[in-house]
Amino acid sequence: MQVQELLSLSDIARLAQVQRPVVTVWRSRSRGTETPFPEPARTVGSQDFFDAAEIVSWFKATGRGNNPEFDADAAAFSNIARDNFHSVSALLVLRQLWDRPFKGLGSEDLLDAADGIDPDDEFLYSELEAASDHLEFLAAYVDKLVDASYGALPALQSLVSDRFRATETAISRTAISAQARQLVARCALELSGVEMYFHEATHAGSDLIHELARSLDESAAAVIQQPAVTGSPSPEVRMALRRLKMLASANESLSLVKTRPGNQQVVHVAQFPSPGMPTTDPETILHEIDDLVLELGPAQGAVVIAPADVLIDAMPSKKSASIRGSILRMGRVRAAARLPQGHLLYKPRTAMALWVIGPEAKGLPLAERRIMLSNLSDLELDEQVIDDFATDIGASLIGDDALRSHAFRFAQWARASVVVASTGSLIPGKRNTNASAAVDSSSLAKRQVQLELALDHLNSSAKDRPELKIELRPRNIDELPSRDHRKGATPLGDLVSQGTIRLISGTRFTSQALDSVPSEGIKVWNAADLREGLPTSVVSYFDLAQAYDQAVLTKAGDVVFTAHGKPTAVVDHQGSHAVNYPVRILRIDSQESSGIMAEVLVKDINDAQHSNWRRWDIRRLPQDMVAPLESSLRIIEEERLAAAQRIGQLDIISEQLISTLLSGEAEIINPSICTEGRP
């Protein structure tokens, strides 16, 4: 069988590290020259495919593109892996486990090696046997692919991440975002304790266990229980096992074991829909979750991610409500969270949700148990949100004492009995304003519990804040900086010309690129955002790579500003944001050597009275004062954020108190107010 290595125009653009339209220009302008663009080797529908070897030769002859390693990298962008997904992935795993290149080996040699690695044909032998008529070609291609990807593991990861370009619809339709995977992984780590024993309970596997492995400390030993393979497993199940074999082989701290009897403290991670069960039918998913919870040992737990209309929202039928109620009545669901839309990549308008299922709560009746409910639907799942939510989960698993000692950021607490009895949504959200919500129940007891817990959290967080200490000492005359340094004001234009501050232009994004709602993307600073201090628009990763590949992202500590209208600037503490012209970036070369601090720079820009940025006077600090001021400002910022959180808690308490008293079913027995801790 003849197999040809082909590249589409998009593949060629990725290989050359240019935008897609550039390749079209090359193709048209090279006609009639001494080095015309190669003719298509195959056309499928309206899409042309080109011989990879001819394209590499053309690049060498013309010097086009930005990739000096065309020849070595071509294999990573060709169609071979996509068109032979399972056989190429099997060869990659074989090469990793066998630990030798395939050069010089025939089909029989490769099948013998596969038989030695997989004698029971659990994960790769059948895939290679099915491709035996062109196995030598694929093996030679895999050798090139491994070299281009700097290893078999990165090559397999790239192949799997390219799922939207492949024909693996079961995988592509169930993929979830990196942020959602990270959230599940962090919660699983909080649930695991010291045992570090995990199992992928997703049908045919998912990316969850791999994300979890990436989240582990490099020195932490962990055990992954591989799924049992029985009967004739589907291609997706075999692919999942290949990925686990590769993962364990490439990580010495991971041990891959078969199912063990007994009650190890296993943490299961499960995703619905999954490659092996791509349905989103609530009843089917709830039956699967029910089976999972019933099979858990007393010390085991699980983290489940599924559509919010299954885990959180009002049930579409009485049967679905009954199944979910029976799961909740087991008393092992310890936390539930509604996530923002966009994290089920194939259906970005579908909101996902999370359940954290803990070990059995011994000696505590259901009526006295509490469930942590969190609505994250209006938040971006950035690193800080993921970290804070996982910390809340860890504290909630300790017991009731933690409810008073930990300042929860996202928790709303509800009695488990109230949640079980709810006929509507467990958590109120934009799509469920008419549903009966457990946390908005009219139950007086429920409201009292919420109010008491909110007050405890508020007082605890106030007492936990350290005393703010910033001490100043007058300097002696001989310690004062030089007169020149005390003048300290230099026009911004001079600082840019000297290279002390680097001016980086913004990118002119189209309104279409920013008006879309991508499932994943980069936040973009607009001029209007500078007044609020947060970027609001998003550009998709695809648009950024294809249409705006010259865009420069901010680094943490950069100043973003605009001179149009009233000069406005803000420090981008997080970084990794794009800027939309007329917003521009100011990057300080070195704060300590230049004496220029981002916060001072922002203040000077915001105080400017004209729009000629070159003439804005920027003040400098004595060099020995940069580090102390930076440290003090960091402490002040932490206190400011804590105060903002306290204000939010006070608003919640105020609303709860008013609604409780308006019901006429309760009264305040002590009108005096004692403020504990510092405000």
Side-chain angles (χ1 to χ4, degrees), residues 6 92 159 164 171 204 207 216 222 236 277 492 543 547 579 626 676:
L6 302 174
L92 286 168
L159 176 61
F164 284 101
I171 295 177
D207 291 326
L216 292 170
E236 290 79 18
M277 197 183 79
L492 179 57
D543 285 343
V579 296
V626 172
E676 300 185 34

Side-chain angles (χ1 to χ4, degrees), residues 386-605:
I386 292 172
D387 186 63
D388 289 348
F389 180 78
T391 303
D392 284 356
I393 290 293
S396 72
L397 295 169
I398 297 173
D400 281 356
D401 289 342
L403 305 187
R404 298 180 182 274
S405 62
H406 176 75
F408 289 86
R409 178 180 176 185
F410 298 115
Q412 297 183 69
W413 290 95
R415 295 275 185 183
S417 55
V418 175
V419 176
V420 171
S422 174
T423 58
S425 173
L426 306 185
I427 300 173
K430 291 181 178 179
R431 289 174 171 261
N432 301 284
T433 52
N434 296 323
S436 171
V439 293
D440 283 342
S441 167
S442 60
S443 164
L444 173 62
K446 172 83 174 56
R447 286 202 301 265
Q448 281 186 293
V449 168
Q450 284 186 322
L451 188 57
E452 289 170 5
L453 286 172
L455 288 167
D456 285 345
H457 297 163
L458 183 75
N459 293 327
S460 174
S461 64
K463 288 184 288 187
D464 286 344
R465 299 309 305 168
E467 183 180 352
L468 186 63
K469 289 185 177 180
I470 299 176
E471 299 181 2
L472 298 178
R473 178 185 68 84
R475 281 179 161 176
N476 297 323
I477 294 177
D478 58 349
E479 295 177 308
L480 293 177
S482 66
R483 181 179 300 275
D484 290 340
H485 212 128
R486 273 181 284 168
K487 279 196 242 179
T490 305
L492 179 57
D494 292 352
L495 294 172
V496 171
S497 300
Q498 297 163 9
T500 304
I501 296 178
R502 181 184 172 193
L503 177 69
I504 303 172
S505 297
T507 304
R508 296 179 185 270
F509 292 101
T510 64
S511 57
Q512 182 179 2
L514 299 182
D515 288 343
S516 61
V517 185
S519 57
E520 291 185 295
I522 294 291
K523 285 289 188 73
V524 180
W525 284 103
N526 294 301
D529 299 333
L530 300 182
R531 295 178 182 85
E532 300 298 326
L534 289 171
T536 55
S537 301
V538 179
V539 61
S540 72
Y541 291 130
F542 178 82
D543 285 343
L544 194 65
Q546 296 295 319
Y548 304 102
D549 61 332
Q550 302 301 316
V552 177
L553 303 185
T554 61
K555 293 183 178 180
D558 281 351
V559 171
V560 288
F561 80 101
T562 179
H564 286 228
K566 173 69 175 68
T568 310
V570 66
V571 180
D572 188 339
H573 292 287
Q574 183 178 354
S576 297
H577 297 133
V579 296
N580 186 24
Y581 186 83
V583 179
R584 286 179 278 189
I585 303 171
L586 293 173
R587 184 166 295 165
I588 302 170
D589 179 47
S590 172
Q591 291 188 154
E592 292 192 8
S593 63
S594 66
I596 297 173
M597 279 196 63
E599 289 78 6
V600 177
L601 178 58
V602 164
K603 179 170 175 52
D604 288 341
I605 293 174

Side-chain angles (χ1 to χ4, degrees), residues 97-269:
L97 300 181
W98 202 25
D99 195 24
R100 60 164 291 184
F102 296 142
K103 185 177 181 180
L105 298 178
S107 296
E108 292 298 324
D109 299 321
L110 293 166
L111 290 174
D112 286 344
D115 187 45
I117 295 293
D118 183 24
D120 298 325
D121 191 19
E122 291 182 318
F123 58 97
L124 63 76
Y125 185 84
S126 289
E127 286 78 3
L128 301 188
E129 186 179 42
S132 59
D133 57 345
H134 56 287
L135 197 55
E136 290 183 48
F137 172 85
L138 291 178
Y141 166 78
V142 165
D143 275 344
K144 292 195 298 181
L145 181 61
V146 170
D147 290 341
S149 305
Y150 302 100
L153 177 61
L156 184 64
Q157 290 173 334
S158 177
L159 176 61
V160 174
S161 65
D162 208 20
R163 61 191 64 189
F164 284 101
R165 295 166 59 82
T167 56
E168 299 300 304
T169 55
I171 295 177
S172 65
R173 292 183 180 181
T174 58
I176 59 176
S177 70
Q179 295 94 329
R181 297 196 305 267
Q182 290 162 12
L183 184 67
V184 173
R186 284 297 312 277
C187 291
L189 288 172
E190 292 289 344
L191 195 56
S192 69
V194 297
E195 293 295 323
M196 306 293 279
Y197 194 124
F198 304 100
H199 173 241
E200 173 75 83
T202 303
H203 286 265
S206 69
D207 291 326
L208 296 180
I209 203 75
H210 299 270
E211 192 67 50
L212 200 154
R214 283 192 289 270
S215 301
L216 292 170
D217 186 276
E218 291 183 1
S219 61
V223 178
I224 295 176
Q225 179 180 300
Q226 71 183 49
V229 179
T230 58
S232 299
S234 67
E236 290 79 18
V237 170
R238 293 174 65 89
M239 179 65 198
L241 188 51
R242 283 199 293 278
R243 294 182 67 196
L244 285 178
K245 292 284 187 180
M246 177 73 86
L247 182 66
S249 174
N251 192 330
E252 294 181 356
S253 63
L254 288 182
S255 301
L256 186 62
V257 301
K258 294 191 176 181
T259 304
R260 296 176 178 175
N263 181 37
Q264 295 90 358
Q265 192 175 340
V266 184
V267 175
H268 304 261
V269 290

Side-chain angles (χ1 to χ4, degrees), residues 28-49:
S28 62
R29 290 185 179 178
S30 66
R31 291 192 184 105
T33 67
E34 295 181 357
T35 54
F37 198 85
E39 291 298 317
R42 185 192 304 170
T43 300
V44 179
S46 60
Q47 188 172 17
D48 292 333
F49 292 89

Side-chain angles (χ1 to χ4, degrees), residues 636-646:
I636 293 171
E637 177 66 13
E638 291 174 358
E639 289 301 302
R640 189 190 67 78
L641 293 174
Q645 183 178 1
R646 184 172 171 84

